[in-house]
Amino acid sequence: MADKHTLVIVESPAKARTIAKYLGDGYEVLASVGHVRDLPKSKLGVDVDQDFQPEYVTIRGKKDVLDRLKKAAKDSGAVYLATDPDREGEAIAWHVMEYLDVKDKPVFRATFNEITKSAIQKAIENPGQIDQNLFMAQQARRIMDRLVGYKISPLLWDKVQRGLSAGRVQSVAVRLLVEREKEIEAFVAEEYWTIDADVEGKNPPPFVLRLSKIEGKKARVPDEENTKRILAETEGQSFVVRAVTKKPTRRNPQPPFITSTMQQEAARKLRFSPNQTMRVAQGLYEGISLGDEGPVGLITYMRTDSTRVSESAVEGAREFVKGKYGERYVPEKPRTFTSRRGAQDAHEAVRPTLLDHPPERLASYLDANQMALYKLVWDRFIASQMAAAELEQTTIEVPVQGEKYLFTASGSVMTFSGFLALYEEGREQDEEDEDEVRSRGKRLPQVESGEELKVRRFLPEQHFTQPSSRFSMSSLIRELERRGIGRPSTYAAILSTIMDKKYAERVEGYFRPTDLGRMVTDLLVESFPEILDIKFTAHMEEELDEVEEGKMEWLNVLREFYRSFSERLEQAEISMRSPKTEEVETDVECNLCGSKMVLKWGRNGHFLACSNYPECKNTKPYARDEEGNVVAEEVPQTEEKCDKCGGEMVVKSGRHGQFLACSSYPDCKNTRPIAEIQDGKAVAEEAPPDTDEKCDLCGAEMAVKSGRRGRFLACTDYPKCRGTKNIAEVKDGKAIAVEMPKVEEVCDKCGAPMQVKTGRRGPFLACSAYPKCKNAKPLPEDHPAAQEIKGQAAARPKPIETEEKCENCGKPMVLRDGRHGPFLGCSGYPQCKTIQKATPDILEKYQRTEEESD
């Protein structure tokens, strides 16, 4: 072994670079680049008749990676599998080992919670073997998810529409959203009143007392009539202080982050999606280049549900607090925190790896997102080892009319900041306690028992009870965790899938289930009550955890699950109703022929259609009135004419919103985007400009088209030719294409010329034979074409900072140039992607002229 190097296999190239620095000579560190084998996408891949035997295939594009690893293993003296220390990491290690098929040399499993020199060397010096229980738990979870997804999804395609999916955890999460929405819709607001008394004593300032009890019970004032009666009974009465109590209270810090709490706090404070949080955390864990230090892993492993912290890290935090804040800010004993029941305690909490790397020292090495998340992790961890905050809670009690009415005032004043000097956890709006909010930071004047207060005025106020709020990203994660649905490592994927499949949309930062999400949930609850049952799903998670702990056999879990699932599946194939064939009668009359309209299901959800179809093809979007009855949604009128056939245009709704369509459809299929609604009438966007551009691939004429990212030039010989170009500008009514740099490279797959294309991540090299050949590569930064594109970008006008504020996040807006002209975009991009039209007064205010835009 002395003559041969040692091979260490990890899953990430970034992680490989960091670890290679710590191990030095004699070690070769290579990456599997994630999972290498999985169940096939084209079929179920699980033989349920042969005890759920999985069929694993090499993931597309990974054969070259595996062959490279196999060759390196053959030439090595020993192999260390050092993938992530969790179920997925164990599965990657197992599949790599199976493929390498190394029998003539030792193969070890090395695990570590942080990528630091000491942790890596310790893991290599004290290796173990692959944890079969951990792998079997991952395999059971993967097979169970595959059975649910691949068995139920085709049913939904048949009954509802193609492209839908069901998931063992995903569908339950959507059910939570749907049930919350139904709860909100069914909520009946109740009136109630509060009665405050604005008073003053001998010492300033005046303060407010609130009626808190009536005859010893919590005050409930249901209406104005009772309010007037109470005011009549208390007006003119003496307000004499019965008691003034001052009570010292303490507020302890929160534990360091686990995966779920990190995702919640990043959503609340940084507006990060769970996916974005995990992506940034992955980079901080695997290593960031810190100049001469090279790559350094800055945080511990980010997929954990344990709040445990090593003794050395605790001592380091206490020393840091003492040095920066002083002795008083260090608690007498180190703080320990209890993890939730069922937590896997193998890993530590998420914390900084090195306490000599405070955030301010790393400002020049981290981008904005990395710095924001690193500071959040740092502050939370350091605060967790700080002294409690100390507060003084003052309560003033004033009985009126004997003991019938009790008015109180509370104030809470901080006497010692403790951990709050560094960090305070964010809170959802629905988590705030009204009385706590009213008393927080409120200092009451000095009053004495027996002192008579002067009532300056009474302040009665009407209120109405509010329904539970919709789930935000952080509150949905909290609810999933509370219910035991899914695991911390899966929350990001769950929320992402819900949005991708259009089962929910985000409205002002909160999830609202779509028509599609409600329909699919109702169907699944009817046909698969166990799969959609929250307690059943949590129970399955517990059993999978027991497989991981070696307490249950993975096959027994699958057998138990599949027995009832297969019976439900057979029944659902026969009895599941199909919304595509259902029509619900309504009282809405067709404005074209007078017939009743019916509620039907289409690919964009429910809509109103004339019952006289096909004689009358009138359709309308629908809404519901306060009583829940179906009514026609008010649709803007329009005076626009079709620029293709001269027919009347009408307003229609699609999955991307309202648009103008020719009323002569299907004879004329012309559509136009809506620019704005003026005086209740829809005005079309300007017709696309003409162009003299020719297709570089086939020489045919090009035309201006609209896509998700705006207008572009497309070959008129589509779909035979899929040539496209970006629009540089519109001059004299003609669209002019961006001149992309020419390159000499040829495709290494088919030999066709390569060309420079641009996508949402910037320029790249793509084969000109697309779609026959889909070969594409990143464009290196030092490539002449990349330098030319940079030069073009540098010549464009720079964004202009404005005083306008983003309506979504409050950050300043900047004036930018787009392919359709100037626009206002949020300076918080890409976290906030808000844009709005640059009106003439905005352009004038910031002196943006047409010459500057050109």
Side-chain angles (χ1 to χ4, degrees), residues 537-639:
T537 304
H539 171 67
M540 295 309 302
E541 293 289 357
E542 290 172 358
E543 290 200 340
L544 289 168
D545 286 345
E546 289 188 1
V547 172
E548 186 171 320
E549 294 164 12
K551 297 177 181 177
M552 282 194 76
E553 170 64 36
W554 72 281
L555 281 173
N556 290 340
V557 175
L558 288 175
R559 289 169 188 152
E560 176 194 343
F561 166 78
Y562 194 70
R563 190 180 300 114
S564 61
F565 175 66
S566 58
E567 291 172 1
R568 290 283 184 185
L569 192 65
E570 287 180 19
Q571 189 176 348
E573 288 171 348
I574 300 168
S575 61
M576 182 185 276
R577 58 189 176 87
S578 174
K580 292 191 290 189
T581 61
E582 294 177 344
E583 294 184 358
V584 180
E585 294 182 2
T586 74
D587 294 327
V588 180
E589 287 191 359
C590 175
N591 59 307
L592 297 185
C593 71
S595 301
K596 292 290 185 184
M597 301 195 83
V598 294
L599 207 59
K600 297 185 73 172
W601 177 263
R603 61 182 177 178
N604 297 318
H606 281 110
F607 64 97
L608 284 169
C610 183
S611 59
N612 197 26
Y613 179 87
E615 284 72 22
C616 178
K617 298 179 180 178
N618 188 25
T619 62
K620 289 183 177 182
Y622 84 102
R624 292 188 184 273
D625 61 19
E626 293 180 357
E627 297 177 355
N629 299 314
V630 174
V631 294
E633 193 175 284
E634 290 295 325
V635 177
Q637 301 301 306
T638 184
E639 296 175 352

Side-chain angles (χ1 to χ4, degrees), residues 514-530:
T514 60
D515 219 7
L516 178 63
R518 296 177 70 140
M519 171 64 70
V520 169
T521 297
D522 289 345
L523 289 174
L524 293 180
V525 169
E526 291 168 12
S527 298
F528 299 94
E530 292 92 352

Side-chain angles (χ1 to χ4, degrees), residues 183-198:
E183 186 183 313
I184 292 169
E185 291 170 352
F187 181 82
V188 179
E190 293 182 9
E191 179 185 10
Y192 72 97
W193 288 68
T194 55
I195 300 175
D196 291 345
D198 181 6

Side-chain angles (χ1 to χ4, degrees), residues 8 67 80 97 115 174 195 218 255 259 366 462 498-499 541 598 641 739 761 799:
V8 179
D67 288 345
Y80 284 77
M97 183 178 70
I115 304 180
V174 178
I195 300 175
K218 185 175 179 180
T259 305
L366 305 182
Q462 182 188 40
I498 288 171
M499 297 295 290
E541 293 289 357
V598 294
K641 301 289 184 183
E739 284 296 325
R761 293 186 180 88

Side-chain angles (χ1 to χ4, degrees), residues 30 93 166 176 207 292 311 327 404 413 436 507 674 799 819 832:
L30 298 178
L176 288 175
F207 61 100
D292 294 339
E311 289 183 13
E327 188 81 45
K404 186 172 184 180
V413 179
E436 183 186 332
V507 179
I674 295 174
R819 64 182 67 172
C832 179

